[in-house]
Amino acid sequence: MKYFESFGLSDNLNRSLSKMGYKTPTPIQAQAIPLALQGRDILGSAQTGTGKTAAFSIPLVESLLNAPERTALILTPTRELAKQVLDVIHQLLGYKSPIKTAFLIGGEGMNKQFSQLKSSPRIIVGTPVRINDHLQRGSLKLHNTGFLVLDETDRMLDMGFGVQIDKILKYMPAKRQTLMFSATLPDAIIRMSGKYLHKPERVAMGASNVIASNIKQEVIRIEQDKKYKELVDQLYDRNGSVIVFAKTKYGTERMAKNLRRDGFEAEALHGDLRQNKRNRVMKGFRDKKFRILVATDIAARGLDVPHIEHVINYDL
């Protein structure tokens, strides 16, 4: 039986889903995909790791396959999440798809992005500041973009991208389909949904603002000068991959250096790294080339690294 056969997806998309190993839709996918396929706007909330990317990517690709004139824009808060979303989109499109894509993020050269835009891409994935940069330069046109996804919207607002999103949406047609996904639903998200979504369907998996039930939490109260030694002891006592969150960019570099000195395989991830370095670090962590990722909050939402077993908030 084809994956999501009851949804009436195209043969090409079903083949791609089969190759990706998708078998049973997650609850957020089962609720959101049929509504999106009907052209409805969606305000969706679900915890990270519940399959939100596929929940919006599958109907997006199906929509573009059925409407050759349509284009789509996906906005994400971080470059790493944008890359992850684009990878899923490419897998869904399949090998040698006629639908071209553009990847517009900060930290990468403009010439490469200009080249992508000249090829008339129908799917654009990017971060708000760089998208606005291209809009202001005139290298990106969104007047015919009929499908918009705002991914991890609460995180985008936390990072101060609200004004950037407002500017972007002024370049888009008022008549469009908009899917807004968020892990939490603060008042700012509700206000934004009222402004930019048309009679949205509310899709929610579990209560918002709660921790996933399969996560065990511990709090260790300790004096500042004893924290690092306790961290090292905890790392020795635990197995598996670890993310350690530190408050500052400098703090991540210093901690990764200290952990390497103390015999651990560790790398730092933060916003001041060149994009190719950020890509290498994330790929190395996904491929288990090192055990400990020390990061600022750019890695705090949405990244899919299945083998992570421990998350440590060092600078709570």
Side-chain angles (χ1 to χ4, degrees), residues 69-313:
E69 75 289 345
R70 206 175 198 194
T71 63
L73 171 67
I74 303 173
L75 292 175
T76 74
T78 66
R79 304 169 189 176
E80 285 72 24
L81 186 53
K83 178 66 166 60
Q84 182 174 288
V85 169
L86 186 63
D87 287 344
V88 171
I89 293 286
H90 282 157
Q91 291 179 70
L92 292 172
L93 290 173
Y95 184 59
K96 290 188 176 179
S97 170
I99 297 178
K100 296 179 180 177
T101 64
F103 185 47
L104 307 182
I105 62 169
E108 287 196 343
M110 294 293 283
N111 287 337
K112 179 180 178 182
Q113 296 178 11
F114 289 147
S115 178
Q116 292 176 26
L117 290 170
K118 286 177 182 177
S119 69
S120 300
R122 293 181 58 206
I123 300 176
I124 295 166
V125 182
T127 48
V129 174
R130 182 53 63 94
I131 294 291
N132 259 320
D133 193 354
H134 281 286
L135 288 169
Q136 291 162 12
R137 290 170 181 261
S139 50
L140 172 62
K141 306 291 186 183
L142 296 177
H143 59 282
N144 288 326
T145 302
F147 201 114
L148 171 66
V149 176
L150 300 172
D151 189 22
E152 302 288 3
T153 312
D154 53 346
R155 182 73 184 121
M156 285 198 280
L157 295 186
D158 288 344
M159 295 173 72
F161 290 146
V163 172
Q164 297 284 344
I165 294 171
D166 287 343
K167 289 180 180 178
I168 292 168
L169 268 63
K170 290 178 181 177
Y171 287 86
M172 299 187 68
K175 188 176 180 180
R176 63 174 185 269
Q177 183 176 5
T178 304
L179 310 185
M180 181 185 293
F181 285 87
S182 183
T184 63
L185 289 177
D187 291 342
I189 299 291
I190 303 300
R191 288 194 298 272
M192 179 179 280
S193 70
K195 184 164 56 170
Y196 292 127
L197 274 62
H198 176 66
K199 296 181 179 177
E201 291 283 349
R202 178 78 174 85
V203 176
M205 291 300 106
S208 61
N209 302 317
V210 298
I211 300 300
S213 60
N214 61 341
I215 295 177
K216 179 183 178 182
Q217 296 192 83
E218 300 176 44
V219 176
I220 299 175
R221 301 182 185 277
I222 194 167
E223 295 175 18
Q224 183 68 30
D225 60 353
K226 297 177 181 177
K227 277 173 68 175
Y228 181 75
K229 182 181 182 303
E230 180 64 28
L231 172 66
V232 170
D233 291 342
Q234 290 287 334
L235 292 173
Y236 274 124
D237 287 343
R238 297 171 184 266
N239 297 315
S241 299
V242 185
I243 290 186
V244 179
F245 284 110
K247 185 176 182 180
T248 66
K249 300 166 186 177
Y250 171 73
T252 65
E253 291 283 359
R254 181 179 58 189
M255 182 176 292
K257 180 179 179 181
N258 289 341
L259 289 172
R260 288 194 296 269
R261 178 200 65 198
D262 291 330
F264 297 99
E265 296 173 319
E267 295 288 346
L269 181 71
H270 56 77
D272 278 356
L273 295 176
R274 289 182 176 273
Q275 190 57 42
N276 59 1
K277 172 69 171 177
R278 286 169 65 164
N279 293 344
R280 286 199 304 272
V281 170
M282 276 308 305
K283 185 176 187 305
F285 190 50
R286 282 196 174 97
D287 294 344
K288 299 185 180 182
K289 296 289 181 61
F290 58 91
R291 181 186 169 216
I292 302 168
L293 179 68
V294 186
T296 58
D297 61 3
I298 65 169
R301 179 72 67 77
L303 294 183
D304 182 17
V305 187
H307 56 77
I308 294 173
E309 295 193 33
H310 309 284
V311 177
I312 298 174
N313 287 299

